[in-house]
Amino acid sequence: MENNFFALRSLILLLPLILFMAFMVGISVYVRHKQAGKNFVSSYFVGNRELGGFVLAMTTVATYSSVSSFVGGPGMAFQVGFGWIYMAVVQVTAIFLVLGIFGKRVAILARKLNAVTVVDIIRARFQSDFLAAVAAFVIVLFFCGTMTAQFVGGAKLFAAVTGYSYEAGLILFGLVVVIYTSIGGFRAVALTDTCCAIMMMIGIVLLLHYVLQAGGGYENIMTTLEKNNPEIFEPFSFGNMPWTIYFTQWLLVGICTIALPQSVVRGISYKNTQGLHQAMLIGTVVVGFMNIGINFTGILAHGVLPGSAADYGGVDNIIPTTIVLAMPTELVGLAIIGPLAASISTISGLLIVASSAIIKDVYLHWAEKKQRDVASNKDNKTSKSFLIPNSSFLINVTPARVKILSMAATAIIGATVFVIALTPPSLIWLINMFAFGGLETAFFWTLLLGLFWKRANKLGAMLSMTGGTIIYCATQAAGFKIFNLHQITIGITCSLILFLIGSYIGKKSDEATLKLFFP
């Protein structure tokens, strides 16, 4: 009888998640069917630039939010208090800024250049295949780090809440997200992201309701906290929340996130200006609700979990433990969809951009260039063929081949990260922040100055992206800090200095490029 009870409980826990995952796969199959016959590269990587305001807002929010936002963040709020909310509230501006600063600019340029990726725009602005290759490499490298963190964080959350193994969770949601992203491409990612964002909000509302109920109401929780944990109400948390954390986190998860490739590429995909403006407003409201709501829930969890975070195995266990203790069994399976949706939406968004970096930015560009060389060699019989034996199939680009390679690249990247996550690294939150910092160091000045400053040139962008990223990684590896600030401050500063030096000593961009970008 007892075994039957636990079997039934397990089924109740898993059923909502299984149905949600099946729905995600169904969306991808539907999208692939609807996109049949359209330009595959455009449909697979940017959804044929047809996203409306609501979907654009939701996919940007869902990609920006991660499992750290729903597990590590509120866990830190539990430990630190309102200071963590004051620090994290800067993220509310992220969607508004990324779409407001880059959205229309990137969309106009993408249509002029027939660009499908952020790297396409970087290549055209700086007229450098080498810089484009470096950008693609940086994207794939740091995206793999971020995706690993999402896989591991989601699987650990699944195991902690359901009682199933870590590996079971990884297989259940990890393989599904790789499958539906590989099949459906960007359009499927955008639609599934929208579903994920909705589930995140539902999860927050449910958890907040039951935490307040379990804690005896808002006033009771606040009164108890004021008596037992007065530091929670102090902005610096009696030294637990120093100004250095405020400053570096405002940079790392706030201001500098406007140049993350996975966010900027959303600007290429929207349908019209009206949709962009709608997305800016909707996205700001939604990310504000989610960010403040889940972190505030972390503080209120004191009404359910007496003691410190250490008593429950650390900050990452606060939300999983709260879900189990505060919510009815029949709703636990529904509640964990929210944080898991944050994980899978981030993975799918990163997967499609990483895939485009390999197929569109490297392979297709190389193949098209070689095709031109072949045509030139036929006209000039004295020229030597560039081809190596048996390599002609690589440049024989057909729609069917591009489709197969694109889906294969997405699946291979996802499967690689999945295998890495089977032996989970520790310090998931730090891995996520390391990857964020690397992407921001590489792309912040390259995109911001490249798209808004005429003087920006190829040498400046190359020095900034390569030098800044190497310096950032080196200081991370050495544990070197200045005034105990996160290494993003070193990376972003060195990146700017190198960009300015290169732009003033290097050759100016040609007039044709400047006329195209600054008409």
Side-chain angles (χ1 to χ4, degrees):
M1 181 68 72
E2 188 175 344
N3 290 336
N4 291 336
F5 170 78
F6 283 111
L8 180 61
R9 180 182 182 277
S10 299
L11 180 61
I12 292 172
L13 285 174
L14 284 183
L15 188 58
L17 185 58
I18 292 172
L19 292 175
F20 181 72
M21 291 300 178
F23 184 60
M24 298 293 100
V25 175
I27 288 176
S28 69
V29 173
Y30 172 77
V31 167
R32 179 52 36 223
H33 174 72
K34 294 292 289 185
Q35 298 287 349
K38 297 183 179 180
N39 181 288
F40 178 80
V41 172
S42 178
S43 65
Y44 193 79
F45 292 125
V46 289
N48 280 321
R49 301 185 175 95
E50 295 176 344
L51 296 192
F54 181 74
V55 175
L56 175 62
M58 290 305 194
T59 185
T60 309
V61 168
T63 302
Y64 177 76
S65 302
S66 67
V67 72
S68 296
S69 305
F70 282 76
V71 178
M76 288 299 297
F78 179 91
Q79 179 170 287
V80 172
F82 283 94
W84 190 261
I85 295 181
Y86 304 150
M87 179 279 297
V89 76
V90 71
Q91 297 177 60
V92 175
T93 64
I95 308 301
F96 189 88
L97 289 176
V98 70
L99 295 178
I101 293 174
F102 288 114
K104 192 168 185 177
R105 185 91 168 101
V106 165
I108 292 172
L109 289 170
R111 284 160 173 78
K112 279 185 180 181
L113 301 166
N114 195 28
V116 174
T117 68
V118 173
V119 178
D120 279 340
I121 295 174
I122 291 174
R123 177 186 282 114
R125 172 65 180 90
F126 298 108
Q127 296 296 302
S128 172
D129 287 341
F130 174 77
L131 180 64
V134 171
F137 173 76
V138 169
I139 285 173
V140 174
L141 176 66
F142 287 111
F143 275 17
C144 284
T146 304
M147 285 188 284
T148 300
Q150 300 309 306
F151 271 120
V152 174
K156 284 187 174 180
L157 173 68
F158 174 88
V161 173
T162 66
Y164 283 89
S165 69
Y166 169 88
E167 291 77 13
L170 199 59
I171 292 170
L172 178 60
F173 82 90
L175 287 183
V176 168
V177 69
V178 174
I179 291 169
Y180 80 67
T181 306
S182 302
I183 294 173
F186 185 89
R187 182 73 178 176
V189 167
L191 293 177
T192 53
D193 281 355
T194 302
C195 297
C196 287
I198 292 171
M199 292 307 301
M200 291 180 215
M201 290 188 286
I202 292 173
I204 291 171
V205 171
L206 281 174
L207 184 58
L208 181 59
H209 169 75
Y210 283 104
V211 164
L212 286 171
Q213 186 180 81
Y218 176 78
E219 290 186 8
N220 182 60
I221 295 174
M222 288 295 108
T223 301
T224 304
L225 281 175
E226 192 171 4
K227 178 181 178 181
N228 299 329
N229 305 89
E231 73 281 359
I232 280 179
F233 297 92
E234 206 271 325
F236 295 101
S237 189
F238 294 174
N240 294 322
M241 192 73 185
W243 71 270
T244 54
I245 293 182
Y246 275 98
F247 181 73
T248 54
Q249 290 299 304
W250 280 343
L251 285 178
L252 198 58
V253 299
I255 297 169
C256 292
T257 59
I258 65 171
L260 290 173
Q262 63 267 37
S263 298
V264 176
V265 75
R266 265 62 190 168
I268 299 177
S269 62
Y270 71 86
K271 189 174 184 179
N272 51 41
T273 303
Q274 182 183 3
L276 175 67
H277 294 163
Q278 290 174 348
M280 290 168 66
L281 294 175
I282 295 170
T284 300
V285 171
V286 171
V287 80
F289 168 77
M290 288 168 53
N291 184 280
I292 296 173
I294 192 61
N295 284 311
F296 187 50
T297 302
I299 295 175
L300 294 176
H302 279 280
V304 181
L305 308 176
S308 66
D311 296 331
Y312 303 95
V315 294
D316 287 344
N317 290 326
I318 294 301
I319 289 300
T321 306
T322 302
I323 290 174
V324 172
L325 295 180
M327 298 194 65
T329 300
E330 60 270 18
L331 290 180
V332 168
L334 184 63
I336 65 168
I337 291 178
L340 287 179
S343 174
I344 64 176
S345 61
T346 300
I347 293 169
S348 63
L350 299 183
L351 262 180
I352 201 67
V353 178
S355 173
S356 69
I358 294 174
I359 300 302
K360 177 64 178 68
D361 299 326
V362 177
Y363 167 68
L364 280 180
H365 180 76
W366 173 85
E368 289 166 2
K369 186 175 181 181
K370 294 307 181 184
Q371 285 176 337
R372 291 192 294 269
D373 289 347
V374 168
S376 176
N377 288 339
K378 287 179 180 179
D379 294 334
N380 182 5
K381 294 181 181 180
T382 61
S383 298
K384 292 182 179 180
S385 174
F386 70 92
L387 290 174
I388 60 174
N390 302 320
S391 69
S392 59
F393 74 95
L394 290 174
I395 62 168
N396 183 22
V397 178
T398 63
R401 180 165 293 161
V402 173
K403 179 178 180 179
I404 292 171
L405 289 176
S406 299
M407 296 173 70
T410 306
I412 290 170
I413 295 170
T416 300
V417 176
F418 175 85
V419 171
I420 295 172
L422 284 173
T423 53
S426 57
L427 305 174
I428 300 305
W429 183 78
L430 292 179
I431 293 172
N432 207 36
M433 292 301 99
F434 166 71
F436 257 50
L439 291 166
E440 290 163 0
T441 297
F443 287 95
F444 187 80
W445 300 116
T446 300
L447 288 172
L448 190 64
L449 297 181
L451 298 185
F452 295 98
W453 188 40
K454 288 185 178 181
R455 181 79 194 195
N457 65 10
K458 178 168 67 175
L459 180 60
M462 288 172 63
L463 290 176
S464 177
M465 183 173 288
T466 56
T469 305
I470 290 171
I471 290 170
Y472 170 76
C473 291
T475 53
Q476 278 274 358
F480 178 75
K481 294 183 178 182
I482 296 177
F483 300 122
N484 203 34
L485 296 170
H486 189 277
Q487 289 87 349
I488 182 62
T489 55
I490 301 173
I492 209 76
T493 302
C494 291
S495 181
L496 174 60
I497 293 171
L498 290 170
F499 200 111
L500 295 175
I501 291 173
S503 294
Y504 280 105
I505 68 173
K507 183 181 178 181
K508 290 184 179 180
S509 299
D510 61 78
E511 288 301 319
T513 299
L514 291 178
K515 187 176 180 180
L516 180 64
F517 279 80
F518 303 96

